Amino acid sequence: MCPYLRENITALEGYIPGEQPRNGAAIKLNTNENPYPPSPRVRKALRKATNRNLRLYPEPLSDSLRALAASAYGVAPENVLAGNGSDELLSILVRCFVGPGDRVAYPVPTYTLYDTLIAIQQGEKVTLDYLPDFSLPEMLYAQQSAVTFVCNPNSPSGTLVGRAELERLARSVAGILVVDEAYIDFAEGEGVSALPLIRDFANLVVLRSFSKSFSLAGLRIGLAFAAEEIIAGMMKVKDSYNLNRLSLVAACAALQDRAWMARNVARIQQSRKQLTKALTKMGFQVYPSQANFVMARRAGQNLKWLYEALRRRGILVRYFDALGLQDSFRISVGTPREVSVLLREIRAIEKEAKDGADKSHGAGPHRP
Amino acid sequence: MCPYLRENITALEGYIPGEQPRNGAAIKLNTNENPYPPSPRVRKALRKATNRNLRLYPEPLSDSLRALAASAYGVAPENVLAGNGSDELLSILVRCFVGPGDRVAYPVPTYTLYDTLIAIQQGEKVTLDYLPDFSLPEMLYAQQSAVTFVCNPNSPSGTLVGRAELERLARSVAGILVVDEAYIDFAEGEGVSALPLIRDFANLVVLRSFSKSFSLAGLRIGLAFAAEEIIAGMMKVKDSYNLNRLSLVAACAALQDRAWMARNVARIQQSRKQLTKALTKMGFQVYPSQANFVMARRAGQNLKWLYEALRRRGILVRYFDALGLQDSFRISVGTPREVSVLLREIRAIEKEAKDGADKSHGAGPHRP
């Protein structure tokens, strides 16, 4: 143990990201990456930018990206901040708005990085359980918090809270409301994003990510949208050159080919339907997902054995070994082939377990 | 003004990076970039990595880079942390070791980002003036601080503190000593880096950057070297995927072609000598630089007019409009051609100013 660390850092467990196998052989449905590659325009722009100018610092404020994003999303450049992934933007937000002892409220289960960031900043987390159908707990509206987080669509549930609820929340919270829309492009229907509300609410921040819908998890690009005064505050806290030259170029090219993104989103929505239907048929409770993953539950059964059996067969899904989630998986929506291999292997594993159980006239060896 | 921001953030001015012109036409000697491009191996590796795998997250801990860096610098991978530029590593360090009210000491003038990071964290900065020859002030050894920073070689002075002093400092400070070696590759002689001392001091952190000697400012890559316990603490605070795939690949390729870096360093050392000699001849006091820039002073004269005149001629140098630095420039060492254009233009500007002054029988219009 390092005696020089602050106590809250020593006590911190740290956020544990999903497994990233280095050989790439596995069917990887554990960290919500897009199964389809980024736009060819992105790759073309990257190849062009791989030149001697890599010796020069990037634009400090990512102004070219801010201008494009402003135009794409119908806001002003002053309403946009680019980050090294939306993780960096979350970290900047907590440092801007949360001092030691300040309250930060959010419904759970959700993205556990919020816990980590608050602990680093010595804030006080106030977590409230989602209702069983993953609608917002009424108490959330009444919290006196410096920051309120809503991940929407939520992870790991995939469920979506409507814009009217978010509008009511923005109006009723004491501090900042952060709507983390990393997965919003996968939601169906019009008017699901809270982004247009930044005009009306000086306390609203909407986060977007290029990791999922734009297939650019490898390049770490996120955007924050908010009133100019919030963005100006966040700029003081961000590192001077937080986005590198190549990520900047890739983000601009991706934004200029949103048709490519939309086509992949449509394919994923289609696979999501099939996956949801098949898992439901296999006895899982599947929450209505508006994201590029589904949460599949078998209420009361610990699914760790099944997660591990899939892993041995080269299929990674996300298993959260935490109270209330041990009976669930979060499964990223892969290609149709990946989805069908996953379903086939779950069936095979369960058949083996059942056969073993029948043979031993009792519980299967893996079934806890 | 945003009423939701923490007071310390509202009060913060924010670090102002040097100008990054977008057209690239200027002779740019203001932000210490390397005038030579990165290794062809870096560009080759980048082109190869610009593929469909950009859809996947990068290695969370940059393990491939840590392994290479460990081998290159003679430490264990557990002693290495990779960052999105050494700026991110500085920010992580402050969040790990500095709580509200904790003291952070460093000699000034130096990298002003330290001020910003401490203010964000509500730490208390304790700045001590360097001695006139830029050796360490004796009082620095006696500070009871959570963190002590030494930028070595220092910016803007370019001067170097010896390893013996740093060893003494590591032994005498109460908390962590951070030696920021962004420019160390440009120093001459053996045994100038504090890096080997991390074996002996559990409170020492040495930072390196790929922005200067490796010509990769555009890709944001830094490394921290320290005892395993410090690195483990820093890992909890860093973002999960802080280094993107392409920067990771570039860093690995650069480390595998250190001969390319060393060749460019030798060219810059040669130009540095010529620049120092010429500026001295022109009446500037030039501090003995071990970095890829020189600090040129005309004691007591405000040089803003000259900075602005150079800027009008398309030459950017760094002028710090701060007390004690207004009689100085920081000039990055460019190519021999850039150095000679700079010198020619300074001569031309000064001649014009002198002629103007002679004509008006008084002080030149620009000379304040």
Side-chain angles (χ1 to χ4, degrees):
Chain A
M1 214 191 71
C2 173
Y4 303 98
L5 284 170
R6 295 166 63 204
E7 281 175 30
N8 60 320
I9 307 298
T10 300
L12 192 68
E13 275 199 42
Y15 174 76
I16 297 161
E19 191 178 352
Q20 302 294 347
R22 285 193 61 187
N23 56 28
I27 292 187
K28 196 170 173 314
L29 305 175
N30 66 332
T31 54
N32 300 341
E33 287 134 336
N34 197 310
Y36 304 108
S39 162
R41 288 204 215 170
V42 168
R43 285 183 271 177
K44 195 175 162 197
L46 284 171
R47 277 191 294 268
K48 196 176 158 207
T50 299
N51 59 32
R52 52 185 297 134
N53 281 345
L54 294 177
R55 73 181 182 85
L56 299 171
Y57 281 100
E59 297 172 41
L61 303 180
S62 304
D63 281 332
S64 55
L65 176 56
R66 293 173 83 201
L68 276 172
S71 147
Y73 295 103
V75 297
E78 291 72 25
N79 298 125
V80 187
L81 183 69
N84 184 38
S86 53
D87 283 356
E88 187 200 23
L89 296 167
L90 286 165
S91 162
I92 291 171
L93 282 167
V94 173
R95 294 160 80 197
C96 276
F97 296 106
V98 183
D102 287 347
R103 290 157 60 94
V104 182
Y106 45 102
V108 289
T110 192
Y111 190 22
T112 57
L113 180 66
Y114 305 151
D115 300 350
T116 306
L117 294 174
I118 295 160
I120 293 172
Q121 196 68 0
Q122 294 177 293
E124 185 194 337
K125 72 171 176 176
V126 179
T127 59
L128 299 164
D129 286 338
Y130 269 107
L131 300 189
D133 66 349
F134 281 93
S135 56
L136 293 180
E138 193 58 30
M139 284 293 292
L140 190 65
Y141 296 90
Q143 292 306 314
Q144 294 291 316
S145 305
V147 172
T148 303
F149 285 116
V150 176
C151 183
N152 200 46
N154 185 45
S155 171
S157 61
T159 50
L160 187 79
V161 166
R163 195 197 274 177
E165 282 89 335
L166 296 174
E167 201 167 335
R168 195 186 135 209
L169 197 56
R171 195 169 286 120
S172 61
V173 294
I176 292 284
L177 171 63
V178 178
V179 182
D180 182 348
E181 294 192 345
Y183 301 103
I184 196 76
D185 288 328
F186 300 102
E188 287 172 77
E190 291 300 304
V192 290
S193 169
L195 209 158
L197 300 179
I198 65 161
R199 291 173 203 284
D200 304 319
F201 293 97
N203 65 335
L204 176 65
V205 181
V206 175
L207 298 182
R208 293 291 183 91
S209 169
F210 282 60
S211 298
K212 327 288 182 179
S213 56
F214 286 105
S215 309
L216 285 172
L219 287 187
R220 322 303 305 119
I221 307 152
L223 294 175
F225 296 90
E228 184 174 348
E229 292 73 19
I230 290 184
I231 297 295
M234 292 177 74
M235 277 192 175
K236 296 192 210 173
V237 172
K238 83 169 188 69
D239 286 342
S240 315
Y241 303 103
N242 60 330
L243 223 66
N244 68 86
R245 279 185 169 258
L246 295 179
S247 297
L248 194 50
V249 156
C252 290
L255 267 187
Q256 287 173 306
D257 191 6
R258 280 180 292 155
W260 176 273
M261 178 274 272
R263 202 191 61 164
N264 290 335
V265 163
R267 293 157 86 182
I268 289 163
Q269 287 170 334
Q270 188 60 31
S271 298
R272 180 174 72 196
K273 269 191 203 116
Q274 286 158 359
L275 178 62
T276 302
K277 198 172 155 189
L279 287 170
T280 306
K281 214 170 152 185
M282 291 161 73
F284 289 92
Q285 178 191 1
V286 185
Y287 291 86
S289 172
Q290 296 291 325
N292 68 336
F293 56 86
V294 301
M295 180 163 153
R297 168 168 269 165
R298 283 220 179 104
Q301 289 181 32
N302 190 316
L303 294 184
K304 194 170 190 176
W305 73 277
L306 186 50
Y307 154 75
E308 283 171 350
L310 282 167
R311 198 173 179 286
R312 280 192 296 272
R313 290 170 185 237
I315 300 175
L316 294 178
V317 299
R318 192 73 183 266
Y319 176 73
F320 299 93
D321 207 345
L323 201 70
L325 291 174
Q326 286 153 333
D327 59 359
S328 303
F329 290 143
R330 192 191 66 185
I331 305 171
S332 308
V333 179
T335 61
R337 192 193 72 84
E338 288 172 328
V339 167
S340 90
V341 172
L342 168 80
L343 294 168
R344 186 190 71 206
E345 293 300 321
I346 294 178
R347 281 189 206 102
I349 292 163
E350 299 211 300
K351 185 168 183 303
E352 265 180 36
K354 188 172 173 294
D355 291 350
D358 289 347
K359 248 183 241 168
S360 65
H361 306 282
H366 296 301
R367 288 302 252 291
Chain B
M1 213 193 67
C2 174
Y4 303 99
L5 284 171
R6 295 165 64 204
E7 280 175 31
N8 59 319
I9 306 298
T10 300
L12 192 68
E13 276 200 40
Y15 175 76
I16 298 161
E19 192 177 352
Q20 302 296 347
R22 285 192 63 187
N23 57 26
I27 292 188
K28 195 170 174 313
L29 304 175
N30 66 333
T31 55
N32 300 342
E33 288 133 333
N34 197 309
Y36 305 108
S39 161
R41 289 205 214 170
V42 168
R43 285 184 270 177
K44 197 176 161 195
L46 284 171
R47 277 192 294 267
K48 196 177 158 207
T50 300
N51 58 33
R52 49 185 298 135
N53 282 346
L54 294 177
R55 72 181 182 86
L56 299 171
Y57 281 101
E59 296 173 41
L61 303 180
S62 306
D63 281 331
S64 54
L65 176 56
R66 293 173 83 201
L68 277 171
S71 148
Y73 295 103
V75 297
E78 292 72 26
N79 299 126
V80 187
L81 183 69
N84 184 41
S86 54
D87 283 357
E88 187 200 24
L89 297 167
L90 286 166
S91 161
I92 291 171
L93 282 167
V94 173
R95 294 160 80 198
C96 277
F97 296 105
V98 183
D102 287 346
R103 290 158 59 94
V104 182
Y106 45 102
V108 290
T110 190
Y111 190 22
T112 57
L113 180 65
Y114 305 149
D115 300 350
T116 306
L117 294 174
I118 295 160
I120 293 172
Q121 197 68 0
Q122 294 177 291
E124 186 195 335
K125 73 170 177 177
V126 180
T127 57
L128 299 164
D129 286 339
Y130 269 106
L131 299 189
D133 66 350
F134 280 94
S135 56
L136 294 180
E138 192 58 30
M139 285 292 292
L140 190 64
Y141 296 89
Q143 292 306 314
Q144 294 292 316
S145 304
V147 172
T148 302
F149 285 116
V150 177
C151 184
N152 200 47
N154 185 46
S155 170
S157 61
T159 49
L160 187 78
V161 166
R163 196 199 272 177
E165 282 89 335
L166 296 174
E167 203 168 334
R168 195 186 136 209
L169 197 56
R171 195 170 287 121
S172 61
V173 294
I176 293 283
L177 171 63
V178 178
V179 182
D180 183 348
E181 294 192 344
Y183 301 103
I184 196 76
D185 288 327
F186 300 102
E188 286 171 77
E190 291 300 305
V192 290
S193 169
L195 210 158
L197 299 179
I198 66 159
R199 290 173 204 285
D200 305 318
F201 293 97
N203 66 334
L204 176 65
V205 181
V206 176
L207 298 182
R208 293 289 183 94
S209 169
F210 282 60
S211 298
K212 327 288 181 181
S213 55
F214 286 105
S215 309
L216 286 172
L219 288 187
R220 320 305 305 119
I221 306 152
L223 294 175
F225 296 89
E228 185 174 348
E229 292 72 21
I230 291 184
I231 297 296
M234 292 177 74
M235 277 193 174
K236 296 192 209 172
V237 172
K238 80 170 190 69
D239 286 343
S240 315
Y241 303 104
N242 60 329
L243 222 68
N244 70 86
R245 279 186 169 258
L246 295 179
S247 297
L248 194 49
V249 155
C252 290
L255 267 187
Q256 288 173 306
D257 191 5
R258 280 181 292 155
W260 177 274
M261 177 273 272
R263 201 190 62 166
N264 289 335
V265 163
R267 292 155 88 181
I268 289 164
Q269 287 169 334
Q270 187 60 31
S271 297
R272 181 174 72 196
K273 268 191 205 116
Q274 286 158 358
L275 177 62
T276 302
K277 198 172 155 188
L279 287 170
T280 306
K281 214 169 151 183
M282 290 161 75
F284 289 92
Q285 177 190 2
V286 184
Y287 292 86
S289 171
Q290 296 292 325
N292 69 335
F293 57 85
V294 299
M295 179 163 153
R297 169 168 270 164
R298 283 220 179 104
Q301 289 182 32
N302 190 317
L303 295 185
K304 193 169 190 176
W305 72 277
L306 187 50
Y307 155 75
E308 283 170 352
L310 282 167
R311 197 173 179 287
R312 280 192 296 273
R313 289 169 186 237
I315 300 175
L316 293 179
V317 299
R318 192 75 181 267
Y319 176 74
F320 299 93
D321 205 346
L323 200 69
L325 291 174
Q326 287 153 333
D327 58 358
S328 304
F329 291 144
R330 193 192 65 185
I331 305 171
S332 308
V333 178
T335 60
R337 194 193 71 85
E338 288 172 328
V339 167
S340 90
V341 172
L342 167 81
L343 294 168
R344 185 189 73 206
E345 294 300 322
I346 294 177
R347 280 188 206 103
I349 292 162
E350 300 211 300
K351 184 167 186 302
E352 268 180 30
K354 187 170 175 295
D355 291 351
D358 289 348
K359 250 183 237 165
S360 65
H361 306 282
H366 295 299
R367 288 303 250 291

